[in-house]
Amino acid sequence: MSQNNNRTNNMTRTVNNQSCFSRVTEKYLDTFNCILNRMIEGMTCAELTNSISHNFIVQMIPHHRAAIEMSENILQYTTNLTIEEIAENIICEQTRSIADMEAILSCCGNMSNSRESVCRYQSQIEPVFNTMFNRMRTAKATNDINCCFLREMLPHHEGAVAFSEITLRQNICPQLVPILDSIITSQKRGICQMERLLDTLCC
């Protein structure tokens, strides 16, 4: 899917609801849409090689960066203490995860996989990416930005878990394994917390 189509869909989502959105909500959603577009571009335009380990890292780093920026975005507006805790945990955990991945990128990039393995891997993760992008892009938008954040971040976390679980089944760099385990554990925990909060807030 082209970036132009992504931007058009995002703009349509905002414009169609603009009359019922507060100024704060409009600002929040505009920033979210910009972050989402950068994430999609970063993940889909990453320079891939014959190393599954390398490919995971260069596609997960923009995914993590987007989560950090989305969390910083909600922190500008929310007064909900649980949302603040969730956002701050995301920033802390994913900043650390980016540093860990950057530290091993060079050595893990030297571990190559067969062309067949790389192609099979890409065919497995592309549907995960497309589902995540679409669900984030079409997440229901209301004037309750706490609910907006939860609806947007849930598919983001679920995509990261699926992406990491698929990667964990491949022949990958040993240094990457604990990072994948950490992503899966922390983001599954975050998913449970956000799902409970969605119910509590009657989103």
Side-chain angles (χ1 to χ4, degrees):
M1 183 177 292
S2 71
Q3 293 305 306
N4 285 337
N5 286 340
N6 291 336
R7 292 190 182 95
T8 299
N9 288 337
N10 285 328
M11 288 171 62
T12 300
R13 174 191 178 202
T14 301
V15 170
N16 286 345
N17 294 280
Q18 197 165 20
S19 60
C20 61
F21 285 162
S22 69
R23 184 174 297 276
V24 167
T25 301
E26 288 177 15
K27 289 174 65 178
Y28 170 81
L29 290 174
D30 285 346
T31 301
F32 166 75
N33 287 331
C34 289
I35 296 168
L36 178 58
N37 282 332
R38 285 198 300 271
M39 183 190 83
I40 293 172
E41 183 173 5
M43 294 181 71
T44 56
C45 297
E47 186 175 346
L48 305 182
T49 69
N50 63 348
S51 168
I52 288 174
S53 302
H54 171 276
N55 294 350
F56 173 85
I57 292 171
V58 298
Q59 291 186 297
M60 184 57 86
I61 285 177
H63 183 274
H64 274 9
R65 284 183 179 143
I68 293 168
E69 292 174 3
M70 290 172 186
S71 298
E72 291 170 341
N73 185 31
I74 191 64
L75 284 173
Q76 294 184 69
Y77 305 106
T78 188
T79 57
N80 183 292
L81 295 179
T82 307
I83 292 286
E84 289 179 0
E85 178 188 352
I86 291 171
E88 288 166 357
N89 285 341
I90 289 171
I91 292 169
C92 179
E93 290 174 354
Q94 302 203 21
T95 298
R96 182 172 60 247
S97 185
I98 288 173
D100 290 342
M101 287 188 287
E102 288 177 337
I104 65 169
L105 179 57
S106 179
C107 66
C108 283
N110 292 326
M111 180 174 179
S112 63
N113 303 89
S114 69
R115 181 177 180 182
E116 180 184 28
S117 295
V118 173
C119 289
R120 183 169 59 248
Y121 173 69
Q122 289 302 131
S123 71
Q124 291 173 10
I125 63 172
E126 282 177 9
V128 172
F129 287 2
N130 290 335
T131 298
M132 175 179 60
F133 297 157
N134 185 58
R135 287 183 60 205
M136 293 181 72
R137 191 164 46 238
T138 60
K140 182 180 178 182
T142 65
N143 270 313
D144 188 334
I145 58 173
N146 292 318
C147 293
C148 290
F149 174 76
L150 294 172
R151 294 189 195 105
E152 295 153 359
M153 193 55 70
L154 272 169
H156 185 277
H157 272 32
E158 289 165 352
V161 170
F163 184 20
S164 299
E165 288 177 338
I166 291 170
T167 305
L168 202 53
R169 296 194 292 267
Q170 314 304 314
N171 183 24
I172 56 173
C173 176
Q175 294 96 317
L176 184 56
V177 172
I179 295 174
L180 291 169
D181 287 336
S182 178
I183 290 171
I184 292 167
T185 300
S186 66
Q187 302 214 14
K188 280 186 174 180
R189 182 173 61 246
I191 289 167
C192 291
Q193 187 179 16
M194 288 188 286
E195 287 178 335
R196 288 195 300 269
L197 188 55
L198 272 172
D199 288 338
T200 301
L201 297 178
C202 299
C203 294

